[in-house]
Amino acid sequence: MATVNLDLTPIHQCSAEGCTFNASTSCHAPAITVGDHGANHCATFLGIPTKHSPTRDGHVGACQLADCSHNSDLTCTAASVEVGASASGGTECLTYSAA
């Protein structure tokens, strides 16, 4: 079984409805990627109907948002993050803060 580096930033809450990894606002993906081609969104969002049983807490594995103040060498340095819906309806990191 794979293990997760506990030094990774935990996901405090995820309000992205319809994501396979979201169970009662708790992300249980082993590690998510934030950002895709410079856009602030959860690149790990998976919208299939089958939910996996929540067996672990989610973490930020990589951050591709070079302009975020919490990004250090593609690693999130925030104490924790919140993922949720953007005004346009996408799923993004709500903890994002422009550098």
Side-chain angles (χ1 to χ4, degrees), residues 6-13 58-60 69-70 76-82 95:
L6 296 180
D7 292 335
L8 296 176
T9 299
I11 300 167
H12 171 69
Q13 179 176 333
H59 293 82
V60 179
S69 64
H70 302 294
C76 181
T77 61
S80 67
V81 299
E82 185 172 336
T95 309

Side-chain angles (χ1 to χ4, degrees), residues 10-94:
I11 300 167
H12 171 69
Q13 179 176 333
C14 177
S15 57
E17 294 183 18
C19 182
T20 299
F21 294 111
N22 185 356
S24 302
T25 70
S26 178
C27 177
H28 58 273
I32 68 167
T33 298
V34 174
D36 187 19
H37 305 290
N40 176 14
H41 71 270
C42 179
T44 309
F45 179 91
L46 184 60
I48 60 174
T50 304
K51 299 277 187 181
H52 299 289
S53 62
T55 57
R56 60 181 75 104
D57 295 325
H59 293 82
V60 179
C63 177
Q64 299 178 11
L65 300 175
D67 65 339
C68 182
S69 64
H70 302 294
N71 185 335
S72 176
D73 296 326
L74 303 178
T75 300
C76 181
T77 61
S80 67
V81 299
E82 185 172 336
V83 177
S86 66
S88 64
T91 303
E92 67 181 30
C93 178
L94 302 177

Side-chain angles (χ1 to χ4, degrees), residues 1-5 30 55-56:
M1 171 185 255
T3 59
V4 174
N5 178 346
T55 57
R56 60 181 75 104

